[in-house]
Amino acid sequence: MNENLFASFIAPTILGLPAAVLIILFPPLLIPTSKYLINNRLITSQQWLIKLTSKQMMAMHNTKGRTWSLMLVSLIIFIATTNLLGLLPHSFTPTTQLSMNLAMAIPLWAGAVIMGFRSKIKNALAHFLPQGTPTPLIPMLVIIETISLLIQPMALAVRLTANITAGHLLMHLIGSATLAMSTINLPSTLIIFTILILLTILEIAVALIQAYVFTLLVSLYLHDNT
């Protein structure tokens, strides 16, 4: 049993070199591809799911916003596979690192905001001052809206980090309790183990939901600026 509760969140190294890059590049290798005209059931299901997700996210976008469809679909697949692989024993989850989530959130948010200022600068500036604002409140509202805009990528990254980290910690604690109770009380061990199984199922759902939420929020930021 691992004595350090946070050891699983430490970036792994191989011969003293950081292995996080290799781990980040590994999930795309698990996505099957086909060279044949007729696909098998796995690839057909995969393509149907990608098409359904893309259609749902891109439905509200105009032509310019739909140019981001490949990037958004790649983003949701990457986050989902990374989160799911992190549920395996003795594995490392890159999305528990705030630095990596910020590295994903900031460029996407900045790209959407810059696109908004370039193509629709009047509408972009109008977000800083709602219509009908009393004159004495204008400076305060501009500051509040500016802070609200700048905090968006931080909120994206912190939300993903907190949800994935909390689930891993809870699974670690319940797993440790199951192992400790196995030599003391068998009925209690079975109850705790059942809770662990249910929590694992919940974490699988959370891994997929958080990938969808992250990508959906990026899509909404893009919609507001196109």
Side-chain angles (χ1 to χ4, degrees):
M1 182 176 62
N2 200 342
E3 295 180 358
N4 188 355
L5 186 62
F6 296 95
S8 59
F9 303 113
I10 300 175
T13 57
I14 300 176
L15 300 177
L17 300 176
V21 176
L22 297 177
I23 297 174
I24 292 172
L25 295 176
F26 179 69
L29 300 178
L30 300 178
I31 305 299
T33 57
S34 176
K35 300 179 181 179
Y36 302 101
L37 181 61
I38 301 177
N39 297 324
N40 57 28
R41 293 180 181 178
L42 176 61
I43 296 180
T44 302
S45 301
Q46 170 190 301
Q47 292 176 346
W48 173 80
L49 186 60
I50 291 175
K51 184 178 180 180
L52 179 64
T53 305
S54 176
K55 183 178 180 180
Q56 185 174 359
M57 286 192 300
M58 294 293 108
M60 60 183 173
H61 290 282
N62 55 21
T63 304
K64 183 177 291 186
R66 290 177 183 176
T67 58
W68 284 49
S69 59
L70 180 60
M71 182 182 299
L72 294 178
V73 170
S74 301
L75 179 66
I76 191 173
I77 292 174
F78 171 74
I79 297 177
T81 53
T82 303
N83 290 345
L84 291 175
L85 288 175
L87 296 175
L88 298 176
H90 305 289
S91 61
F92 172 71
T93 312
T95 47
T96 58
Q97 307 297 310
L98 183 60
S99 57
M100 176 184 165
N101 295 336
L102 284 173
M104 291 191 297
I106 292 177
L108 293 171
W109 166 83
V113 171
I114 292 173
M115 181 182 292
F117 277 101
R118 288 185 60 185
S119 60
K120 299 168 61 175
I121 187 169
K122 291 185 178 180
N123 292 336
L125 293 176
H127 289 299
F128 293 95
L129 189 62
Q131 187 176 5
T133 303
T135 304
L137 296 179
I138 289 178
M140 182 181 298
L141 279 180
V142 170
I143 294 174
I144 292 174
E145 291 297 329
T146 303
I147 295 174
S148 175
L149 177 66
L150 296 177
I151 208 173
Q152 286 177 352
M154 178 63 73
L156 272 177
V158 170
R159 181 185 295 107
L160 179 59
T161 303
N163 281 281
I164 301 302
T165 303
H168 281 57
L169 287 175
L170 191 56
M171 289 180 63
H172 187 282
L173 290 172
I174 296 180
S176 300
T178 304
L179 187 61
M181 291 293 294
S182 61
T183 58
I184 301 174
N185 192 331
L186 184 58
S188 300
T189 304
L190 294 176
I191 295 174
I192 299 176
F193 184 69
T194 303
I195 295 174
L196 180 61
I197 293 176
L198 295 176
L199 180 62
T200 303
I201 297 174
L202 176 63
E203 282 304 308
I204 293 174
V206 169
L208 298 175
I209 291 171
Q210 288 304 314
Y212 179 75
V213 169
F214 189 97
T215 310
L216 181 62
L217 289 176
V218 172
S219 178
L220 291 176
Y221 297 155
L222 176 64
H223 177 259
D224 291 338
N225 290 279
T226 56

